[in-house]
Amino acid sequence: MRVYRWQILPLLLLLFAPAFARPAPSEDFAAQLQAVARTLDGAPNAEGQAKLEGMIADPRFDTLDPPQQAAALAVAGWSALGLQRVAQARALLERASVIEPSMAELWYMRAVVDHQNGDRELAAAHLARHVGASPKTLPELDTGVIYAFLRDAPPEGEGRRALLQALFDARWTVGGSAPTAEWYELAVLQYEAGDRDAVPATLARIDSADGMVRLRADRRFDPWVDRAAPRWNVRRAVQQQQDALRVANLLDPDDMSVLVNLAATMLSLGQYEEVLRMSEQVSAVVDAAQAQNAQGPYTHMDQFLWLMENRVEALRRLGRSDEALALRQRLRQMPELGQRNVSQALNLGEMLVGLEHPQEALAAIGELGQTSPYGEMVKHMLHLLAARQMHDEPAARQALDYLRAHRADAPRVWLSCLLLIDAQDEAAAFVRDELASPLRRGDMLFDLQDQPEPEPLPAFAPLEPRAKALKTRADVRAAIDAVGRVEHYDIGL
């Protein structure tokens, strides 16, 4: 997991400053402690670590002010983590937070250590405490880090709910937009915990199309959602979101994440030519900067790949599949966050298997490297489909066994696999189980909604008619009606 590296040295300089008003012995000890700490900031090393821990064990350490003690312990703990001494790091940082619990950075450090140690519930709780204590520093945290903590926290745990609530209270945004899927989850957790009074404030912040669809589909929120009111009109919500993103782009035209979200609204509203025009302009700027070996012309340049993915989708929906495939092949060669490009490799593999080129699809995903649990599910889905196209039944069974065993990692992928192999009874049972779960229900209801679908690639042609047949089964229909509803939308979700 990529983590944000707090700048400890400025903190130390600030917290050690009062020591110079002390008598000479304490003043000398504080200065020595600060000098040793300097050698560790940004460059953990065993020798400096040993010196710092020796000074922490010195009786003179207890004569320092609590903030100075906490700062030294923080540096020692963070350095210990850099040296892969997780248990030692945890003990040092815990001691620091007991001495100075108001130091917000300590709770971030403890969260990282807990996450590294496998205690994901406590990690989420500690990150929540950091965000609550220092909401203004939230933009400094990498969005991927926050999502990693959310992804890994137990869904039913208090730590996850606490983190979601802290992010909500701090008005967290992603690419200029509210993360309404997370706010929907927070509302569900509030509802299920019996905290119904908190629900309206959470719902009031959900104004995106996907969030509204989840709320409209879920009967738990019927007391607060008037589906006939303009406030809950999904097309209107997308148009308003697009307007807000256009304003955000005017205020900060160099923010790539805003452009990605803006392109997504264009796709939803069928503005495919507009996606092509905007992405072409941005690509030209990026190409010109690269030709001059200049720094990236946009902030959040890691999002450029996703703008180009939106371009691929626009090309596909305009029937320009050859151009879409060629662009996907180029994207496959670009690094993702400086690493091997897993996401675009999987997307290319999916397109190739959809075009019934199984060997090319397998070649595209042949050397992925490390992938997320979701990525593993997509990879095995592609192995399953490619094996079936090549009539390799042992390989198909092996892929299917993996997918079944790990279906919780990507329920949507698993359901698509069941439909593509025409396992209707197992698909129906899976849908019923998901709908019965208070925490997983929302995603399944969202996936069951009716929306316009682009012309499918040949291998995926059976998917939509089988999905429609699934939803008309009496057992599935009853399971849906018990907890929610399926509606038709005239925009892409």
Side-chain angles (χ1 to χ4, degrees):
M1 182 185 72
R2 178 186 172 197
V3 297
Y4 177 79
R5 179 68 166 91
W6 283 101
Q7 296 302 307
I8 301 299
L9 188 56
L11 175 66
L12 271 178
L13 292 172
L14 175 64
L15 294 177
F16 271 104
F20 296 109
R22 288 181 171 273
S26 178
E27 179 179 314
D28 290 344
F29 181 78
Q32 293 168 18
L33 187 65
Q34 185 181 30
V36 172
R38 283 178 183 272
T39 68
L40 292 175
D41 186 73
N45 60 88
E47 182 181 358
Q49 182 74 14
K51 288 182 180 178
L52 183 56
E53 289 185 18
M55 296 189 75
I56 289 172
D58 189 301
R60 289 175 293 177
F61 183 79
D62 295 332
T63 68
L64 299 176
D65 289 337
Q68 296 169 327
Q69 294 180 35
L73 289 163
V75 173
W78 200 238
S79 174
L81 180 63
L83 295 170
Q84 304 300 312
R85 301 173 183 174
V86 179
Q88 184 182 13
R90 194 172 192 176
L92 288 163
L93 292 170
E94 184 175 359
R95 182 180 169 188
S97 62
V98 169
I99 293 172
E100 199 65 26
S102 63
M103 190 184 295
E105 295 83 356
L106 287 171
W107 298 106
Y108 170 80
M109 296 178 199
R110 289 194 64 180
V112 173
V113 171
D114 291 330
H115 191 277
Q116 298 282 71
N117 199 45
D119 195 341
R120 306 302 169 74
E121 165 76 7
L122 193 58
H126 284 158
L127 186 61
R129 187 156 180 177
H130 163 70
V131 172
S134 185
K136 290 183 179 179
T137 65
L138 182 57
E140 298 176 27
L141 284 177
D142 187 277
T143 300
V145 171
I146 295 173
Y147 275 121
F149 277 87
L150 287 172
R151 180 194 65 227
D152 295 338
E156 68 285 353
E158 281 300 314
R160 185 183 185 90
R161 182 184 168 197
L163 179 53
L164 286 167
Q165 187 67 60
L167 293 168
F168 180 85
D169 293 341
R171 296 188 170 272
W172 183 45
T173 61
V174 179
S177 298
T180 52
E182 282 67 42
W183 297 165
Y184 167 80
E185 182 184 354
L186 175 60
V188 168
L189 293 174
Q190 290 168 337
Y191 183 96
E192 294 298 326
D195 190 9
R196 308 291 166 81
D197 291 341
V199 170
T202 305
L203 301 191
R205 198 98 50 92
I206 298 176
D207 57 4
S208 69
D210 61 342
M212 284 191 178
V213 169
R214 282 176 162 79
L215 293 173
R216 290 173 62 96
D218 193 331
R219 292 189 187 278
R220 285 175 290 191
F221 300 106
D222 284 357
W224 301 284
V225 177
D226 178 3
R227 302 196 326 278
R231 158 72 173 91
W232 299 104
N233 182 285
V234 176
R235 172 175 281 275
R236 177 173 176 267
V238 177
Q239 291 169 334
Q240 290 180 330
Q241 184 184 19
Q242 186 176 91
D243 291 343
L245 287 166
R246 290 188 188 280
V247 171
N249 178 239
L250 288 173
L251 295 174
D252 188 1
D254 296 334
D255 189 336
M256 183 67 73
S257 60
V258 173
L259 294 172
V260 172
N261 287 332
L262 181 57
T265 66
M266 294 172 180
L267 288 175
S268 292
L269 295 170
Q271 299 166 348
Y272 308 135
E273 294 288 355
E274 182 70 6
V275 174
L276 298 185
R277 184 194 64 77
M278 182 180 74
S279 60
E280 188 172 358
Q281 290 178 346
V282 173
S283 184
V285 173
V286 171
D287 289 344
Q290 291 177 341
Q292 299 175 11
N293 294 319
Q295 187 176 359
Y298 296 92
T299 57
H300 303 111
M301 273 298 298
D302 58 299
Q303 295 291 302
F304 177 65
L305 284 168
W306 298 106
L307 181 64
M308 292 298 104
E309 278 293 334
N310 285 330
R311 181 178 177 86
V312 169
E313 187 61 25
L315 289 168
R316 278 259 300 111
R317 294 186 181 219
L318 288 169
R320 295 160 61 176
S321 295
D322 289 345
E323 293 177 67
L325 178 60
L327 178 54
R328 272 261 167 86
Q329 289 168 329
R330 291 201 301 275
L331 295 178
R332 169 70 176 88
Q333 306 305 316
M334 297 181 184
E336 183 180 20
L337 296 174
Q339 305 295 322
R340 190 188 301 271
N341 193 328
V342 174
S343 301
Q344 273 62 42
L346 290 171
N347 289 341
L348 175 59
E350 185 174 359
M351 181 172 283
L352 288 167
V353 85
L355 292 167
E356 299 179 330
H357 300 316
Q359 292 179 329
E360 293 178 49
L362 293 177
I365 62 172
E367 297 181 2
L368 289 180
Q370 186 176 3
T371 59
S372 67
Y374 178 86
E376 283 294 319
M377 284 290 287
V378 174
K379 182 180 77 173
H380 281 83
M381 178 187 74
L382 299 180
H383 277 285
L384 170 66
L385 299 180
R388 285 170 64 88
Q389 290 172 11
M390 294 186 296
H391 308 289
D392 185 347
E393 289 306 315
R397 282 195 302 271
Q398 184 178 10
L400 189 61
D401 288 344
Y402 179 93
L403 289 159
R404 182 175 285 111
H406 297 85
R407 58 187 179 274
D409 290 338
R412 179 183 296 180
V413 172
W414 174 236
L415 181 57
S416 295
C417 288
L418 291 174
L419 293 174
L420 287 168
I421 66 174
D422 204 16
Q424 285 278 344
D425 288 343
E426 190 172 359
F430 180 68
V431 170
R432 295 196 305 269
D433 287 345
E434 293 296 289
L435 292 174
S437 166
L439 299 184
R440 300 194 305 272
R441 178 182 307 159
D443 286 341
M444 180 54 68
L445 284 171
F446 182 84
D447 291 342
L448 292 172
Q449 302 304 303
D450 292 330
Q451 60 174 311
E453 299 287 350
E455 186 68 24
L457 297 172
F460 299 127
L463 192 57
E464 186 176 358
R466 288 174 185 171
K468 288 182 178 179
L470 177 70
K471 287 185 282 189
T472 61
R473 286 177 54 128
D475 55 345
V476 173
R477 185 79 261 166
I480 293 171
D481 291 343
V483 297
R485 58 183 62 85
V486 173
E487 297 180 305
H488 177 76
Y489 295 94
D490 63 353
I491 62 170
L493 301 178

